[in-house]
Amino acid sequence: MRDTLDNLLLPVLAVALALLLFGLMVALAGVDAIEMWRLLFKGAFGDVFSLQNTLQRAAPLMMTALCVALPARAGLVIIGGEGAMVLGGLACAFLPMVLPLPADLSGSIAVCLAGALAGALWTALAGALRALRGVNETISSLLLAYVGIGLFKHFVEGPLRDPSSLNKPSTPALAEGLRIGGILGTDVHWGFVIGLVGCLVSGLWLFWTSSGFSVRVVGGNARTARLVGLPTTALLVLACGLGGGFAGMAGAVEVAAVHTSANASLIAGYGYAGILVSFIARHHPWGIVPVAILFGGFGAAGSLLQRRLGLPDASVLVLQGIAFVLILAFEALRGLERERWTGWLALRHMKPRTTAQERAT
């Protein structure tokens, strides 16, 4: 019960305190904090248009957060989801250029799977480097993200560039039949459903299957996992590959549903925001869903804050940064509290050693 309350209350407290500190910051800048809070939630959930915009932004956040959460369950800190996402979008745009695809549902599935495969292979490389060569996965995944973004820009502005895209280099637009439309005529595309199903299935896999349990054992103690015969190398690469596959799928969905081609608009920071979403959700796939919707709403409200209060559109990034720092601080405090609690229990149950004379007496 104590752990459950911590898992629920600490993220909520971190977000609430972040909103309070953000309000104090804008108040110091001469902006009404109460009006800012009202517009923040109005721009996120105030009407049907705002809600659709929020859910649309939440779709890639759910998938990029899984790129962090799944490897984290295996004990790895992967922060290179941005690279996997843009390469997934590039693969989605590239496949129809080299392979004729039917302009129907099967073609849409094919381009999305191409993006997922590209992201999986790219992120699995960080897991393989960690498992086989001992390379720190946090640094390698971040560097791979920069390399992936560089490759993306090279191909979009060079070999794969559409000559008709003058001011904004882009790949040729996807055919109409390959694009992903909205759900029941709304602006919320089917990528939201893909992200939602991905979170639900990932949670079932982690907590209800033997392979998911094996991944969590490796994350708990890799040495123990090796002693009991678990294939730790394969499990680490699997966790990274699955996470990267979801990030690549996010890029493919953004191309097929939003941008219709691969261009610089795909580099929107969703991969980095997914790190925050995963940490606040405590790397739980089911917890990612509400957190992604909340932060998708914050992103959707940025333009409203700019129009009504004169705040920069990127001011919501400050809010996200404050929330990230607070959740890390609360995690550190939680670890210290757990150590004190464990030590107190150990001392309480420790039996004093007695001499033979004392026992005889």
Side-chain angles (χ1 to χ4, degrees):
M1 179 63 68
R2 179 186 179 89
D3 289 340
T4 302
L5 290 176
D6 285 346
N7 291 336
L8 293 176
L9 293 179
L10 285 182
V12 173
L13 182 60
V15 173
L17 188 55
L19 287 170
L20 177 61
L21 293 177
F22 185 63
L24 293 176
M25 291 179 61
V26 299
L28 292 175
V31 177
D32 186 355
I34 296 179
E35 180 66 10
M36 183 275 298
W37 289 325
R38 188 186 70 83
L39 292 176
L40 188 65
F41 284 94
K42 180 181 179 181
F45 311 105
D47 52 34
V48 175
F49 175 79
S50 299
L51 183 59
Q52 291 183 31
N53 195 9
T54 293
L55 296 181
Q56 190 179 67
R57 291 171 179 264
L61 286 178
M62 285 189 285
M63 290 183 271
T64 55
L66 286 174
C67 185
V68 181
L70 295 181
R73 289 292 177 173
L76 303 179
V77 181
I78 298 293
I79 59 174
E82 187 78 3
M85 179 177 173
V86 298
L87 289 179
L90 182 65
C92 171
F94 175 71
L95 184 63
M97 299 173 62
V98 297
L99 184 66
L101 297 174
D104 53 18
L105 179 61
S106 61
S108 300
I109 294 175
V111 294
C112 289
L113 291 179
L117 180 61
L121 294 176
W122 194 253
T123 310
L125 181 58
L129 290 173
R130 171 65 178 182
L132 299 176
R133 305 300 299 172
V135 178
N136 183 281
E137 75 282 356
T138 306
I139 302 227
S140 65
S141 63
L142 181 61
L143 294 178
L144 284 172
Y146 290 133
V147 174
I149 293 173
L151 290 173
F152 175 84
K153 292 181 177 179
H154 167 72
F155 284 106
V156 168
E157 298 175 6
L160 303 182
R161 179 175 179 174
D162 183 6
S164 61
S165 60
L166 301 177
N167 297 328
K168 189 174 185 179
S170 304
T171 60
L174 291 179
E176 186 69 28
L178 298 178
R179 300 175 188 177
I180 299 176
I183 302 173
L184 300 177
T186 65
D187 292 336
V188 184
H189 53 71
W190 286 98
F192 178 78
V193 177
I194 295 174
L196 183 62
V197 172
C199 290
L200 294 177
V201 172
S202 297
L204 292 174
W205 173 68
L206 280 173
F207 299 104
W208 293 88
T209 66
S210 59
S211 58
F213 176 72
S214 299
V215 168
R216 291 188 289 122
V217 170
V218 172
N221 193 316
R223 180 176 297 180
T224 300
R226 287 191 293 268
L227 289 176
V228 300
L230 292 178
T232 56
T233 299
L235 291 172
L236 291 176
V237 175
L238 173 64
C240 292
L242 289 176
F246 280 112
M249 179 71 75
V253 168
E254 285 293 294
V255 169
V258 180
H259 306 296
T260 71
S261 64
N263 52 59
S265 298
L266 195 62
I267 310 174
Y270 284 121
Y272 301 123
I275 303 171
L276 170 63
V277 172
S278 179
F279 270 86
I280 290 183
R282 307 296 299 276
H283 307 307
H284 197 299
W286 295 348
I288 284 174
V289 176
V291 177
I293 293 175
L294 177 64
F295 279 87
F298 289 163
S303 59
L304 184 61
L305 296 180
Q306 184 180 35
R307 293 195 306 270
R308 297 287 186 86
L309 302 178
L311 293 173
D313 184 31
S315 60
V316 292
L317 297 179
V318 178
L319 173 61
Q320 294 181 5
I322 295 173
F324 192 38
V325 171
L326 289 176
I327 196 65
L328 293 179
F330 286 168
E331 285 292 334
L333 293 176
R334 183 173 182 264
L336 292 175
E337 179 64 22
R338 183 181 293 275
E339 290 180 2
R340 295 194 189 99
W341 180 256
T342 304
W344 180 81
L345 287 178
L347 291 174
R348 180 181 176 86
H349 292 87
M350 184 180 296
K351 296 181 179 180
R353 310 178 83 179
T354 59
T355 65
Q357 182 178 2
E358 290 172 340
R359 288 197 299 270
T361 304

